[in-house]
Amino acid sequence: MPDNLTTEADLRAEIVRVGQLLYRKEFIVSGDGNISARLDDTRILCTPSGLCKGFMRPEELLVINLDGQRMDTPTAENAHLRPTSEMAMHLEVYKNRPDVRAVVHAHPPTAVALSIAGVSLTECMLPEVIVTLGLIATTPYSTPSSAENAAAIRHAIRQHDGIILQRHGSLAVGNSPMQAFHRTETIEQIARITFMANLMGGGEPLPAHQVE
């Protein structure tokens, strides 16, 4: 359980809140995106597949184990639902990062557009991004919801709290769903600034000694 959340009900409420924020910020549309968080060392609370995260209810969230199997008792509210199709990617994060308590996958439009255009966010442009998020890696394109997609993030997520999935979206991790959301915001913010800087002729990244 994330440190700032004391009960499963608290965690469910925060995941629902993050889903609403992602939708209102237009980081996701329709049934896009997914959110998950650790309940304990063996159980993960996750969003269901295909459901609009902007209108999700706490009782629609599902509990799975680290093999992706449902662990909760189906209810009238969630018996017809199944875990997010990107669950393999989430589980890859948890298996490689014991420190991570939550994962947010979204489709922030500027970040996605830059990845299609071949513009990397790896270079350090803003000190705030380095302090709050660190370096942002971009993984090679792989089919969404596939085993290949999960494998694509394996090495990057070991050393990065925010990554870009080429042509697909962002992946951010944190000690809570809200922190992972804030890191998603940071990714889209630096993407917008990078886009605007390129329109004005580009810009120089911070010198290595300043990054350090």
Side-chain angles (χ1 to χ4, degrees), residues 5-188:
L5 304 169
T6 57
T7 68
E8 182 175 327
D10 292 336
L11 186 56
R12 286 176 179 268
E14 180 157 305
I15 288 176
V16 167
R17 176 62 174 155
V18 166
Q20 293 168 345
L21 290 169
L22 289 168
Y23 189 71
R24 290 173 188 171
K25 288 269 188 177
E26 298 185 348
F27 294 167
I28 56 174
V29 298
S30 187
D32 288 354
N34 27 80
I35 309 159
S36 68
R38 291 187 194 265
L39 282 168
D40 51 42
D41 291 339
T42 62
R43 296 182 304 144
I44 307 294
L45 187 62
C46 72
T47 53
S49 178
L51 200 68
C52 180
K53 311 310 177 293
F55 299 95
M56 190 169 52
R57 295 174 293 154
E59 57 269 24
E60 291 174 317
L61 301 179
L62 310 175
V63 179
I64 64 167
N65 62 20
L66 292 176
D67 293 320
Q69 301 167 328
R70 281 193 69 168
M71 300 293 290
D72 54 342
T73 301
T75 65
E77 291 81 8
N78 66 25
H80 62 292
L81 301 172
R82 55 187 175 84
T84 169
S85 59
E86 296 283 9
M87 203 62 239
M89 182 172 65
H90 287 246
L91 294 176
E92 193 68 40
V93 173
Y94 293 121
K95 290 171 183 177
N96 283 278
R97 290 284 301 273
D99 60 305
V100 165
R101 311 303 298 174
V103 177
V104 168
H105 166 53
H107 297 173
T110 314
V112 174
L114 291 184
S115 78
I116 294 171
V119 178
S120 173
L121 296 180
T122 301
E123 292 185 328
C124 302
M125 305 300 284
L126 297 180
E128 295 84 0
V129 175
I130 301 167
V131 172
T132 60
L133 182 58
L135 303 181
I136 301 170
T138 298
T139 63
Y141 176 75
S142 56
T143 305
S145 305
S146 67
E148 176 192 17
N149 188 54
I153 63 106
R154 183 173 300 144
H155 297 293
I157 202 61
R158 291 173 184 170
Q159 300 189 19
H160 300 274
D161 291 333
I163 62 178
I164 302 297
L165 310 169
Q166 191 180 58
R167 294 180 177 268
H168 182 41
S170 63
L171 187 69
V173 303
N175 59 22
S176 68
M178 191 59 70
Q179 185 183 53
F181 164 74
H182 287 152
R183 287 173 169 170
T184 303
E185 277 192 306
T186 298
I187 290 172
E188 180 65 356

